[in-house]
Amino acid sequence: MSNNIEADKSALRERVWSALDAAGAVRGPVRNSIPDFHGSHEAAELLAQLPAWRTASVVKSVPDTAQEPVRAIALREGRLVYMAVPRLALPHPFFVLDPAELPSPAEAAANRRTAAAIAPTTDVGGMRPVDLIVLGSVAADRSGARIGKGAGYSDLEYALLAEAGLVGPGTVIATTVHQLQLVDSIPTSEHDVYVDLVVTPTEIITCPPRPRPSGILWNHLTEAKIASIPALVDRQLRQGRTA
């Protein structure tokens, strides 16, 4: 991976975080996070009006607070939601939020801390095919490129699902962001996952189709990264790979 690309991404994150901070557009800490932007509820409501949302039975979401309104709407409307375990830190790296089984109301269950306390977890072997993925972003552009905090977890989550045949070219991927998180262009790498939809509190951007990774790109992962994610360690052992 090019060091220049990573440096450019890091500089872009700093620029967006600074703009959000200066505008008072975020609740809580800005830096080193997926911004919990003001208007996240409005962006979620716009997303929920789209045909891709209305036809989705199974939604996979990041656990970030900015996407909590998306999870709440999905659960309220009776959709099955898979929420990634933060940092994919458990052997079963996805929470299962089934509105028919949850002991808490949708709005409470959508909170990542409540979800972690009440929802069972699963590996990809226990999951249904995913119709719609919702990502958090630090920045996105109109081509569908986006960046997160820099740890690469959203890309790895997609890779795990793709390898299991649970997502593919027909799976719609969306991100919700503040208007200040929209930028002209974003440098990308082979493992980066593009989105089909960028939704702000006031705008829906439909992005052109782009190729997607078909599985885990092991040569893009360090030994330390693999060792920190139990699901990757398990796959490495089963596939007879050496770190």
Side-chain angles (χ1 to χ4, degrees):
M1 183 184 300
S2 165
N3 288 332
N4 289 334
I5 289 178
E6 288 308 301
D8 289 344
K9 287 181 176 181
S10 181
L12 180 57
R13 289 186 190 97
E14 285 298 325
R15 178 159 62 87
V16 171
W17 283 328
S18 293
L20 291 167
D21 194 23
V26 175
R27 292 175 286 263
V30 176
R31 278 173 170 76
N32 303 313
S33 69
I34 299 297
D36 181 18
F37 61 94
H38 293 296
S40 59
H41 287 81
E42 289 81 358
E45 288 166 2
L46 269 187
L47 174 61
Q49 295 173 16
L50 297 176
W53 176 274
R54 292 198 297 268
T55 58
S57 299
V58 180
V59 176
K60 180 264 168 190
S61 173
V62 291
D64 299 290
T65 303
Q67 283 66 50
E68 184 176 319
V70 175
R71 298 191 295 273
I73 293 173
L75 293 172
R76 193 164 61 240
E77 294 180 348
R79 304 173 201 281
L80 176 64
V81 175
Y82 295 119
M83 187 183 79
V85 170
R87 299 180 299 282
L88 300 174
L90 298 178
H92 288 179
F94 297 95
F95 291 109
V96 183
L97 298 170
D98 184 344
E101 303 289 338
L102 289 172
S104 301
E107 284 71 18
N111 178 273
R112 62 183 177 181
R113 292 180 179 83
T114 302
I118 66 173
T121 59
T122 184
D123 193 2
V124 292
M127 295 173 68
R128 289 168 49 188
V130 174
D131 303 308
L132 177 69
I133 294 174
V134 181
L135 302 182
S137 300
V138 172
D141 67 24
R142 292 176 183 273
S143 79
R146 46 80 60 190
I147 52 173
K149 293 178 293 187
Y153 290 113
S154 287
D155 298 326
L156 280 172
E157 291 157 20
Y158 182 88
L160 287 167
L161 296 173
E163 194 174 74
L166 296 171
V167 297
T171 308
V172 176
I173 306 178
T175 188
T176 54
V177 295
H178 191 278
Q179 201 75 23
L180 289 174
Q181 293 173 258
L182 274 178
V183 298
D184 291 336
S185 64
I186 292 176
T188 59
S189 304
E190 184 184 357
H191 64 260
D192 290 327
V193 176
Y194 285 78
V195 301
D196 301 298
L197 297 165
V198 178
V199 184
T200 79
T202 59
E203 185 178 9
I204 298 166
I205 300 163
T206 301
C207 308
R210 304 297 287 265
R212 297 175 177 175
S214 58
I216 299 165
L217 300 180
W218 293 96
N219 61 325
H220 286 232
L221 300 171
T222 64
E223 292 182 21
K225 188 71 167 184
I226 294 170
S228 71
I229 300 175
L232 293 183
V233 174
D234 177 67
R235 279 153 183 75
Q236 189 179 63
L237 291 173
R238 287 194 283 110
Q239 295 174 15
R241 294 179 178 272
T242 56

